[in-house]
Amino acid sequence: MNFGQNSIFDSYERKAKKDWGNLIAAILCLVVVAMLTATVVWLNIVHKEEETIIPEFILALDEGRYDDALEMYRHTHDMVVAADPESIAEVEEQTEIMGEMESIVNERLISIENLVRTERYVLSNKDLQFMNEMEELTSSQISSWLREICEDFMLGKIQKPDVIFIFDQMIQIGNVSASATPLLQEIEVIEMAAGDVQSAEKDYINLDYISSVQKYTAITNNYEGFVYDFSQDRITEIKEVMYEPMLSAGEHMLDTNKYYSAEELLSDMAVIFPDDSRINNDLYEATSHTTAVTTYRGTVQVIAVRPLIAADDRASGDLGLYLTPSQFSRILEELYNNNYVLVDAETMADQKEPNFITEVDLTVPEGKKPVIIVIEPLDYSVLNYMTGSCSRLILNEQGQICGEYTDAKGQIVVSRHAESIGILDEFVENHPDFSFNGAKGVISICGNESFFGYVVSQEQAETRATNCESIGRTAPKFTDADIETNRATVKTITESLQDNGWRFATSTYGNINAYDSDMETIVNDTSKWMSQIEPLIGDVHIINYPGGHYIYGTDERAEYLKNNGFRIFLGMGTQPYHIYGNNYLYYDRMIVSQTSMGNTDFSELFNVNYVLYGAQDPEPEDNADVPEDGNNN
């Protein structure tokens, strides 16, 4: 019996709880619905208000009812200020209305200002009434505009009489007078500072940030007031703009062994940012690799080598014109031990003027002698296949320039040590003081069959097919897509080489005997270079005459070449020699080969026996077949 009564009681209790839960849920739903309804109603009211208040605001301005316009603005402003920060939608809507009002007034004001500046427009009574009675929205803008006028005057963008006229007009505005009068009193000082400011600004525009900051700093030491404030603001702005790109440029110089340039840049930055640890650490790295420099007055050694015998296990024929990788490596060792330093072939010639070349003193570290290394011609024709040379250049996964060749077993080999570029790059990595400010060497190429082993035009494809047939090899086919891929690859390689201190020269497009060629041949050859090779390599200023058959600088053919940007000429000789001519610089280069080392005196540069055989006693390497006689090739 008790059991039954408890069951009934529990049943009633469960029912009551259920009813209460339903009631609470219903109430909550009603509350939510009410809130949503209120929000929708409020948003509709706000949108309706926006739809009506802006037209009414514009109408009040048009009719000159500025008190009414200000009352609308202030009402909206007060609503924004008084709004609950949690009510984001409410604040956003009212802020938008307020912003639109300010924009409408500002547009009208700017229109008047432009007329005053450009047409010497005299303010009407209506203009004055608008700006005076709406000063709550106009005075700050007018004051800012007058400061901009002073900036433009200082920067030479507006004349003094126009500035005076503008101030005479705007000083009639009530609250503006307080800020305009002091500026007007500084006009003479602003005029005095204009030249210095414009000079600093020109440097800023030309991205010469260091010079610009230095000049603006000098201005702040000599002027006060408006000129001082403007210059100080500019310094702050320039420092923010220059910091990361210039510091990154300095660090890239360090990465590419341009220590002297890095030291100069980072030293200037350290003056501007004296407490910056990143700059100071980079500067320390730069100065750790630089020494005192001096002007070099002697002749410059220029030596040239051909593509190396990379695959000695398949090399055959007369190899006297070439070197092995080990022989080239020993040349670098000897040059380094004899205090030679690599220099940029173009640093001795200032080519900024198109009609004349200016002699530039060559600077080298104290105790060092300059040397220029030329690699020629690095086009990798199939006709040189039997010499064991590489077939092309490639970039490995580390971004290093490597030579690729096929050994006697048919295996493809990729190695930095297969070509002189990679060998020299690695040597400089291990001996950074062998390169003055990151200089490497000159890579001379022609375009007759390929570019670094890549066919980059259909004309080259035809030449390669002909050359392949002449040595009994199957001629490869190149589609337009293949050629475009090759062009992209070559462009990537050339950019990497240029970034790492290598210069480029042309051996003429067709590797021609320029001296014996008539004007038509020179023009045709140069046109091919400029249309097929130049777009991939950029401007080239050095012409490395094949076989040393150079054209005299006063010859009309040489004038044609100079007019097309070739202003440094490399001929051939047995002694170091250079001379400045009419808008050109000429060097003699000495070809270094197994043959030439048998009949040319290289004793000032290296020990021939050591280079050829790896020892003082003449014990030839397997591939070192040095003839007793031979010409200087």
Side-chain angles (χ1 to χ4, degrees):
M1 185 69 177
N2 290 336
F3 177 80
Q5 289 176 342
N6 289 338
S7 297
I8 293 171
F9 178 80
D10 291 342
S11 175
Y12 278 117
E13 185 177 21
R14 287 194 297 271
K15 185 176 185 302
K17 288 181 178 179
K18 181 177 181 182
D19 291 341
W20 273 106
N22 290 337
L23 178 61
I24 291 171
I27 292 171
L28 289 174
C29 288
L30 289 172
V31 170
V32 171
V33 170
M35 291 176 64
L36 289 173
T37 302
T39 301
V40 171
V41 171
W42 179 83
L43 288 173
N44 286 333
I45 291 172
V46 171
H47 287 305
K48 185 174 181 61
E49 180 182 3
E50 183 179 5
E51 291 174 1
T52 59
I53 194 171
I54 295 301
E56 289 176 3
F57 181 77
I58 294 173
L59 182 61
L61 291 176
D62 291 342
E63 294 178 351
R65 293 184 287 109
Y66 299 120
D67 287 342
D68 292 342
L70 278 175
E71 182 60 31
M72 296 179 209
Y73 175 78
R74 289 167 180 164
H75 173 71
T76 307
H77 179 272
D78 291 343
M79 291 180 65
V80 171
V81 173
D84 183 354
E86 300 296 327
S87 304
I88 299 176
E90 179 181 351
V91 176
E92 285 182 348
E93 293 288 347
Q94 295 301 320
T95 301
E96 184 178 339
I97 293 173
M98 187 174 69
E100 190 167 350
M101 289 179 177
E102 293 170 349
S103 178
I104 291 168
V105 171
N106 200 42
E107 287 176 6
R108 295 185 178 215
L109 181 59
I110 290 173
S111 177
I112 296 171
E113 291 172 344
N114 287 338
L115 286 172
V116 173
R117 174 167 181 166
T118 60
E119 300 182 19
R120 285 210 172 196
Y121 172 73
V122 177
L123 296 175
S124 67
N125 290 333
K126 185 178 179 180
D127 298 326
L128 291 170
Q129 184 185 8
F130 163 67
M131 289 187 283
N132 273 306
E133 296 192 24
M134 295 295 293
E135 63 182 7
E136 191 172 321
L137 296 177
T138 61
S139 61
S140 177
Q141 163 61 24
I142 294 172
S143 295
S144 297
W145 180 59
L146 290 177
R147 292 190 69 85
E148 291 174 6
I149 292 296
C150 289
E151 289 182 8
D152 286 349
F153 173 50
M154 192 161 56
L155 295 172
K157 298 178 181 179
I158 187 171
Q159 299 301 311
K160 185 177 180 180
D162 294 326
V163 175
I164 300 301
F165 175 81
I166 290 170
F167 271 81
D168 287 345
Q169 293 298 306
M170 292 299 171
I171 212 164
Q172 303 175 70
I173 314 303
N175 285 354
V176 173
S177 177
S179 59
T181 301
L183 280 176
L184 189 57
Q185 293 173 345
E186 289 195 70
I187 290 298
E188 300 300 328
V189 176
I190 293 172
E191 185 176 26
M192 289 175 56
D196 292 336
V197 170
Q198 289 173 32
S199 177
E201 194 69 9
K202 182 179 179 181
D203 289 340
Y204 184 20
I205 293 171
N206 292 332
L207 308 184
D208 188 355
Y209 300 128
I210 298 294
S211 178
S212 184
V213 169
Q214 290 172 342
K215 290 179 180 179
Y216 272 124
T217 300
I219 293 170
T220 61
N221 293 331
N222 295 321
Y223 293 91
E224 298 178 347
F226 178 84
V227 176
Y228 175 89
D229 292 341
F230 174 85
S231 300
Q232 195 61 53
D233 289 343
R234 266 298 194 264
I235 291 171
T236 300
E237 177 183 335
I238 297 170
K239 288 171 69 173
E240 292 177 355
V241 170
M242 70 183 283
Y243 181 82
E244 190 57 43
M246 288 196 66
L247 187 50
S248 296
E251 290 172 344
H252 186 68
M253 291 175 185
L254 295 176
D255 293 338
T256 52
N257 302 316
K258 299 178 179 67
Y259 296 113
Y260 291 86
S261 294
E263 180 182 4
E264 181 180 1
L265 184 150
L266 294 167
S267 294
D268 289 335
M269 290 194 72
V271 174
I272 298 172
F273 304 93
D275 300 320
D276 190 283
S277 59
R278 180 177 167 192
I279 293 174
N280 290 327
N281 289 337
D282 288 343
L283 180 57
Y284 177 77
E285 180 181 351
T287 56
S288 297
H289 291 87
T290 60
T291 61
V293 298
T294 185
T295 300
Y296 182 79
R297 299 297 184 188
T299 55
V300 179
Q301 296 277 3
V302 182
I303 60 174
V305 300
R306 296 185 175 91
L308 302 182
I309 304 171
D312 55 3
D313 56 357
R314 66 168 175 79
S316 62
D318 181 7
L319 304 180
L321 302 180
Y322 306 94
L323 297 172
T324 66
S326 59
Q327 288 169 342
F328 182 72
S329 295
R330 289 196 286 268
I331 287 176
L332 299 183
E333 292 175 21
E334 286 283 278
L335 292 173
Y336 181 70
N337 291 333
N338 289 327
N339 294 319
Y340 282 94
V341 64
L342 297 170
V343 296
D344 188 331
E346 295 196 33
T347 55
M348 293 176 64
D350 183 343
Q351 303 178 64
K352 289 194 293 288
E353 296 296 331
N355 298 319
F356 62 88
I357 206 165
T358 303
E359 181 177 351
V360 178
D361 288 337
L362 181 61
T363 300
V364 297
E366 289 183 353
K368 296 290 187 178
K369 297 169 289 186
V371 65
I372 298 169
I373 295 179
V374 181
I375 304 171
E376 62 171 57
L378 213 59
D379 57 333
Y380 295 125
S381 169
V382 295
L383 297 178
N384 293 330
Y385 177 77
M386 298 307 293
T387 67
S389 71
C390 293
S391 58
R392 63 176 181 171
L393 296 180
I394 67 169
L395 279 169
N396 64 13
E397 294 180 354
Q398 291 74 40
Q400 300 164 333
I401 301 296
C402 299
E404 180 182 274
Y405 64 93
T406 304
D407 64 17
K409 298 178 181 179
Q411 300 294 316
I412 295 177
V413 180
V414 175
S415 173
R416 292 185 83 186
H417 303 141
E419 190 52 87
S420 46
I421 294 173
I423 294 173
L424 192 150
D425 280 342
E426 185 178 67
F427 191 88
V428 171
E429 289 167 12
N430 296 327
H431 307 84
D433 55 330
F434 182 55
S435 166
F436 178 60
N437 206 30
K440 296 293 178 60
V442 177
I443 300 171
S444 186
I445 59 175
C446 60
N448 191 41
E449 184 185 315
S450 74
F451 188 159
F452 292 155
Y454 298 87
V455 171
V456 296
S457 69
Q458 285 297 346
E459 183 170 355
Q460 285 187 344
E462 293 171 4
T463 304
R464 172 153 287 192
T466 300
N467 289 343
C468 283
E469 291 172 3
S470 70
I471 60 174
R473 300 187 68 188
T474 301
K477 303 292 184 182
F478 295 94
T479 65
D480 289 342
D482 294 333
I483 288 173
E484 284 305 311
T485 298
N486 287 348
R487 288 170 65 85
T489 300
V490 165
K491 193 166 176 40
T492 300
I493 293 174
T494 58
E495 289 172 352
S496 175
L497 288 166
Q498 289 166 332
D499 188 47
N500 281 283
W502 289 92
R503 292 285 192 177
F504 288 102
T506 174
S507 291
T508 73
Y509 178 88
N511 204 33
I512 62 175
N513 181 330
Y515 181 80
D516 289 340
S517 299
D518 58 22
M519 187 66 163
E520 181 180 358
T521 301
I522 296 294
V523 170
N524 183 52
D525 182 88
T526 305
S527 297
K528 290 180 180 180
W529 169 273
M530 296 177 69
S531 64
Q532 298 179 34
I533 306 302
E534 188 175 82
L536 306 178
I537 200 172
D539 294 336
V540 170
H541 306 296
I542 305 172
I543 181 166
N544 184 52
Y545 284 109
H549 303 299
Y550 69 94
I551 304 173
Y552 291 103
T554 55
D555 190 294
E556 65 171 352
R557 296 168 298 171
E559 292 296 334
Y560 169 80
L561 292 170
K562 287 186 285 185
N563 290 336
N564 281 281
F566 303 107
R567 301 165 72 188
I568 299 178
F569 301 157
L570 298 182
M572 188 179 295
T574 59
Q575 297 292 328
Y577 175 77
H578 72 271
I579 189 172
Y580 292 90
N582 180 20
N583 199 18
Y584 70 92
L585 168 62
Y586 174 87
Y587 293 99
D588 263 343
R589 72 190 191 274
M590 296 190 291
I591 303 296
V592 181
S593 67
Q594 296 184 54
T595 296
S596 69
M597 281 189 282
N599 52 40
T600 302
D601 182 9
F602 291 105
S603 58
E604 287 191 16
L605 294 160
F606 49 77
N607 182 308
V608 169
N609 283 337
Y610 176 69
V611 169
L612 285 172
Y613 315 123
Q616 300 301 323
D617 297 326
E619 296 177 0
E621 295 183 352
D622 292 341
N623 290 311
D625 181 16
V626 184
E628 294 182 0
D629 299 306
N631 55 23
N632 184 26
N633 292 322

